[in-house]
Amino acid sequence: MGFFMYDVVKKGDFSMKKYISILFVSAIVLSGVLFAPSASASASQKNSSQISAITGNHSFETANPVGYWKYKNIDTAILPEGEKESYFTFTANKGERLYVRSSTRSEYKGMSIEIYNKNKVLVSKGTEVINPDTALPFIYAITDAKENNEMFYVKVSRGSYTDDIYFTLSIYDRIKAGSETFAFSGAAENKGNTSLSPNGSDSTVLRLDLTKQTSIPKDAIVKRIGTAATQIPSQGNTRHCIMSEENKVWHRALANSSTQGNYDITLEDNLSVSSIWNFKYNTLATARSTMKNVKLKIDYEYDVTSQY
């Protein structure tokens, strides 16, 4: 900095404005020398910004361990040129029904994903590309855990693509829940239990066709079902009844009520939501009555992969 000051004074052209300008320029030059990052620092910064990747897991024995599947973020995997397969392991607990997804790209022709059990026996295989025309195409395979801490292998194979393959693996619960309420048309009529039968008197039957209801997921199964209605006049000793034409079994509500009915229908009955449902009511009352505003509420489960 002293060199620039001496040069200006020597020429007799010194002014406060120029002096400040020279100081400012000199400070910039000096700061560049003192604070410029070293080559080693730049390399360290570059390395810290690199994304870790999974590689070298080309056999059952060298499978990359994911651990328990839930809430896991799995690094990007690389299947290098010359290697055909990439292996992983994960664990799941009894009752968990899962699907494992691998990202793919349009050029990765013939890429596949397979799941094996702990004995290295094939459980399922997927080759179909889902959402091929989107930014996130993928392939998948499915499995169900039969015991706690059950181990599975995943194998991703390259197909005909010969260069390095980059992909990400993700594991999801494939069973989802839903609930919808549907309305029957018309009103059910009951002439009354005039014969005083201990079995009561059944009403006329209302019919509800859900086979073409697009809001219901494909292959959705009934988990719980209930009905609600208005009876005129309201009577005691009245019970709702429901039947699916899938199995043609009438289910009586668990308790007497003119306004609602709950039933002993569970997932174990394996009843499809997309069915034709029939409703009637039974009463011990002797007077004539009607039931209108009949609604059917269905809680259900469905498999996400059935929607692909």
Side-chain angles (χ1 to χ4, degrees), residues 37 89 195 200 275 302:
T89 64
S195 64
S275 181
Y302 64 97

Side-chain angles (χ1 to χ4, degrees), residues 189-208:
E189 299 179 355
N190 198 312
K191 63 183 180 180
N193 186 26
T194 55
S195 64
L196 301 179
S197 168
N199 296 323
S201 172
D202 284 343
S203 70
T204 56
V205 175
L206 301 181
R207 190 171 182 269
L208 177 63

Side-chain angles (χ1 to χ4, degrees), residues 127-169:
T127 57
E128 180 185 1
V129 179
I130 308 302
N131 301 330
D133 299 323
T134 70
L136 298 172
F138 64 90
I139 54 178
Y140 73 92
I142 66 174
T143 192
D144 298 337
K146 302 295 192 301
E147 59 188 47
N148 287 332
N149 201 36
E150 186 172 357
M151 188 183 77
F152 296 93
Y153 292 92
V154 178
K155 181 174 78 172
V156 177
S157 302
R158 67 165 52 250
S160 60
Y161 190 75
T162 57
D163 291 338
D164 291 351
I165 287 180
Y166 295 81
F167 64 93
T168 56
L169 210 66

Side-chain angles (χ1 to χ4, degrees), residues 34-62:
L34 292 177
F35 301 108
S38 65
S40 60
S42 298
S44 175
Q45 184 177 11
K46 181 178 179 180
N47 290 335
S48 66
S49 66
Q50 291 177 344
I51 300 174
S52 59
I54 298 170
T55 189
N57 52 329
H58 47 74
S59 67
F60 282 108
E61 291 69 29
T62 59

Side-chain angles (χ1 to χ4, degrees), residues 101-142:
R101 288 170 43 160
S102 170
S103 63
T104 186
R105 295 168 59 177
S106 59
E107 58 265 36
Y108 296 168
K109 303 295 185 183
M111 187 177 180
S112 66
I113 183 170
E114 296 168 304
I115 297 179
Y116 293 79
N117 66 17
K118 62 184 177 182
N119 297 317
K120 302 175 184 176
V121 176
L122 181 64
V123 175
S124 68
K125 179 178 180 177
T127 57
E128 180 185 1
V129 179
I130 308 302
N131 301 330
D133 299 323
T134 70
L136 298 172
F138 64 90
I139 54 178
Y140 73 92
I142 66 174

Side-chain angles (χ1 to χ4, degrees), residues 175-182 210 216-217 219-227 261-263 265-274 277 295-302:
I175 305 302
K176 302 297 181 184
S179 182
E180 292 190 55
T181 299
F182 309 95
L210 297 181
I216 300 172
D219 297 333
I221 301 299
V222 176
K223 181 179 183 180
R224 190 181 302 107
I225 198 164
T227 51
N262 295 301
Y263 305 86
I265 295 174
T266 67
L267 290 169
E268 293 181 358
D269 293 292
N270 200 36
L271 290 177
S272 173
V273 179
S274 298
W277 294 89
K295 291 182 171 56
L296 177 68
K297 181 183 179 183
I298 304 179
D299 299 333
Y300 55 79
E301 286 188 356
Y302 64 97

Side-chain angles (χ1 to χ4, degrees), residues 210-221:
L210 297 181
T211 58
K212 295 180 174 61
Q213 183 68 32
T214 57
S215 63
I216 300 172
K218 183 180 178 182
D219 297 333
I221 301 299

